[in-house]
C-alpha cells in the first residue's frame, strides 16, 4: 500500500509538472504572438496561435465555442431563451446623450458668463458664436465629428462609472466571442483618447481590432463563406449582447449593428434571410456569453488593467474548463 501510494503521488507530481510546463510553453508562445502583433505581422501571429490550437497544453479555446444549430429561429424562441430583441438590437446611448446635453448647457452658461465678465458687445458675441459654429462644422467635415466624440467620450470616462464599465464589458464581449469563434483579436482601446494615442487619428474610436485578413480576402474575392459570415455576425453583435446580459438593455453598439446590416445588404440578402441570420447570431452569441460569464468578467478585468492581447488570451484559457467547450 505504501509503495502504491508513493507511486500515485509520483504520478500526481509528474502530472502537475507537465501541466505547469505546458502552461509555460503556452505563455511563451503568447508572448511571441504579442511581439508579432506589435510588429504588424498578423499572419505570423495567427500562425503561432493556430499551431497551438486544440493541442494538449496549447490553446484549447481558440475556435472551440459550442454553437447552436443554424436555422430560422422565431422571436418566440428567442423569448423562451430570455432574449428581447428590441432591447438588444435598438441601442440608444442615453448615458452619453445626458452627458452631451449637460456639456451643451454648461457651454451656454459659460458663454453667458464670459459675455458679462468680458463686457462683450453684441457684435463681439455674434463673432464669437460664429467662431464656435465654424469650429464645430470643421470638426464634422474634416474629422467626421472626431473632436466632439473625443471630448464627449473623455468626459464620460472621467465622470461616469456606468459609462466606463459599460464600454469595458462591451469590448470584452467582442474580444471573447472573436477568440472562441477562431478570430484572433490583435488589439483594443477602451477610450477615444487611447485610440488617438495609438492610431494618431481622430476618426478611430475606441474598440477591438481583429486579425481579419482572411475575412477581407474572402470579401474581395466575392466568395464569403457561410462560416466566415457567421463569425462576423456573432462578433458584430457580441458587444450589444454583453450589455444586454449585464444591464437588460444595450446602449452602445449601433455602429456594429449598422455594419452587419450593410454587409448583409451587400450580399443581396432578402429581409427574411437577413432576419434569420441576425436571430441565429443573437441566440448563438448570447448562449456562448452566458456559458462563459466568468471568463468574460476576468477578461474585462485584464482589459481594464491594459494587459496585452497575449495575457488576455491566457486569461480566457485559464477560466474556461474543458467541460464548457
Amino acid at each position: 500500500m505504501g509503495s502504491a501510494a508513493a507511486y500515485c503521488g509520483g504520478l500526481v507530481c509528474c502530472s502537475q509538472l507537465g501541466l505547469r510546463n505546458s502552461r509555460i510553453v503556452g505563455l511563451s508562445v503568447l508572448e511571441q504572438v504579442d511581439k508579432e502583433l506589435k510588429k504588424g505581422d498578423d499572419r505570423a501571429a495567427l500562425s503561432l496561435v493556430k499551431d497551438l490550437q486544440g493541442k494538449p497544453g496549447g490553446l484549447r479555446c481558440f475556435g472551440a465555442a459550442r454553437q447552436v444549430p443554424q436555422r430560422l429561429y422565431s422571436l418566440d424562441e428567442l423569448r423562451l431563451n430570455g432574449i428581447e430583441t428590441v432591447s438588444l438590437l435598438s441601442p440608444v446611448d442615453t448615458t452619453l446623450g445626458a452627458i452631451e446635453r449637460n456639456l451643451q448647457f454648461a457651454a451656454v452658461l459659460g458663454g453667458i458668463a464670459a459675455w458679462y465678465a468680458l463686457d462683450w458687445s453684441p457684435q463681439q458675441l455674434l463673432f464669437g458664436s460664429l467662431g464656435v459654429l465654424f469650429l464645430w462644422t470643421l470638426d464634422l467635415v474634416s474629422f467626421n465629428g472626431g473632436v466632439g466624440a473625443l471630448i464627449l467620450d473623455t468626459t464620460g470616462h472621467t465622470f461616469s462609472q456606468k459609462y466606463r464599465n459599460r464600454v469595458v464589458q462591451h469590448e470584452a464581449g467582442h474580444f471573447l466571442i472573436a477568440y472562441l469563434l477562431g478570430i484572433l483579436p490583435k488589439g483594443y482601446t477602451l477610450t477615444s483618447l487611447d485610440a488617438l494615442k495609438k492610431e494618431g487619428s481622430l476618426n478611430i474610436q475606441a474598440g477591438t481590432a481583429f486579425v481579419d485578413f482572411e475575412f477581407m480576402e474572402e470579401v474581395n474575392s466575392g466568395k464569403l463563406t457561410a462560416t466566415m459570415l457567421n463569425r462576423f455576425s456573432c462578433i458584430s453583435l457580441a458587444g450589444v449582447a454583453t450589455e444586454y446580459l449585464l444591464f437588460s438593455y444595450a446602449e452602445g453598439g449601433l455602429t456594429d449593428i449598422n455594419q452587419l446590416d450593410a454587409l448583409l445588404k451587400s450580399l443581396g440578402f432578402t429581409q427574411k434571410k437577413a432576419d434569420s441570420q441576425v436571430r441565429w447570431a443573437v441566440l448563438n452569441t448570447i448562449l456562448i456569453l452566458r456559458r462563459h460569464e466568468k471568463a468574460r468578467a476576468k477578461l474585462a478585468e485584464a482589459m481594464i488593467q491594459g494587459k496585452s492581447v497575449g495575457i488576455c488570451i491566457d486569461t480566457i484559457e485559464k477560466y474556461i474548463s474543458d467541460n464548457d467547450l
Side-chain angles (χ1 to χ4, degrees):
M1 291 293 290
S3 298
Y7 181 65
C8 289
L11 284 179
V12 171
C13 290
C14 289
S15 175
Q16 290 174 342
L17 181 60
L19 289 173
R20 191 178 301 116
N21 288 338
S22 296
R23 182 168 175 77
I24 291 173
V25 171
L27 285 172
S28 176
V29 172
L30 290 175
E31 288 176 0
Q32 188 61 37
V33 169
D34 281 333
K35 291 179 181 178
E36 297 298 342
L37 290 175
K38 190 173 182 179
K39 291 191 299 184
D41 195 342
D42 292 356
R43 292 180 183 273
L46 182 59
S47 178
L48 287 168
V49 171
K50 285 187 174 182
D51 285 343
L52 283 180
Q53 183 178 10
K55 294 181 179 178
L59 302 178
R60 303 167 299 112
C61 303
F62 184 64
R66 191 192 317 162
Q67 303 187 62
V68 298
Q70 187 168 16
R71 62 174 177 82
L72 175 60
Y73 290 91
S74 67
L75 292 176
D76 287 337
E77 286 179 297
L78 266 61
R79 291 191 188 98
L80 287 174
N81 284 277
I83 303 171
E84 290 291 343
T85 55
V86 174
S87 300
L88 193 153
L89 295 175
S90 302
V92 177
D93 204 329
T94 55
T95 303
L96 271 192
I99 293 173
E100 184 175 21
R101 288 190 296 273
N102 289 335
L103 286 176
Q104 291 170 345
F105 183 66
V108 171
L109 290 180
I112 294 173
W115 181 21
Y116 280 104
L118 300 176
D119 195 24
W120 282 356
S121 67
Q123 187 178 26
Q124 288 174 315
L125 181 61
L126 175 62
F127 287 152
S129 300
L130 290 175
V132 172
L133 181 61
F134 170 76
L135 292 175
W136 177 70
T137 305
L138 180 65
D139 176 39
L140 288 178
V141 174
S142 301
F143 305 109
N144 197 29
V147 174
L150 174 63
I151 294 172
L152 190 58
D153 181 74
T154 302
T155 304
H157 279 281
T158 303
F159 296 103
S160 175
Q161 175 64 35
K162 175 185 175 183
Y163 176 72
R164 185 163 58 249
N165 181 52
R166 177 170 65 78
V167 171
V168 172
Q169 302 300 338
H170 183 107
E171 296 308 327
H174 281 305
F175 193 115
L176 178 63
I177 290 297
Y179 183 75
L180 293 178
L181 293 181
I183 299 295
L184 177 64
K186 68 176 180 180
Y188 64 90
T189 53
L190 301 180
T191 69
S192 295
L193 186 59
D194 285 342
L196 176 61
K197 291 177 180 177
K198 288 185 178 181
E199 304 296 336
S201 173
L202 285 168
N203 291 324
I204 300 176
Q205 302 301 312
T208 304
F210 307 98
V211 174
D212 60 355
F213 64 85
E214 293 176 323
F215 171 76
M216 294 307 301
E217 287 173 356
E218 289 191 12
V219 170
N220 293 334
S221 70
K223 298 178 181 179
L224 186 63
T225 63
T227 298
M228 191 62 73
L229 175 60
N230 289 345
R231 290 173 177 173
F232 180 87
S233 300
C234 292
I235 294 169
S236 295
L237 297 174
V240 292
T242 301
E243 289 190 39
Y244 177 77
L245 286 175
L246 291 175
F247 312 115
S248 299
Y249 60 91
E251 288 194 15
L254 183 60
T255 300
D256 299 328
I257 294 172
N258 289 340
Q259 286 178 343
L260 176 58
D261 183 57
L263 175 63
L264 296 179
K265 286 181 179 178
S266 71
L267 294 173
F269 276 37
T270 63
Q271 188 60 52
K272 182 178 180 180
K273 189 175 181 181
D275 288 344
S276 175
Q277 179 70 26
V278 170
R279 289 176 189 175
W280 170 82
V282 165
L283 179 61
N284 193 51
T285 304
I286 287 285
L287 294 182
I288 294 173
L289 287 169
R290 282 176 178 165
R291 191 177 306 122
H292 305 301
E293 180 181 1
K294 184 176 182 180
R296 193 262 317 142
K298 293 296 183 180
L299 172 61
E301 291 177 8
M303 293 173 74
I304 290 174
Q305 297 171 24
K307 299 297 185 181
S308 69
V309 169
I311 296 299
C312 288
I313 289 174
D314 183 60
T315 300
I316 294 172
E317 294 285 342
K318 182 179 179 181
Y319 286 98
I320 293 181
S321 67
D322 291 335
N323 294 332
D324 289 331
L325 294 174

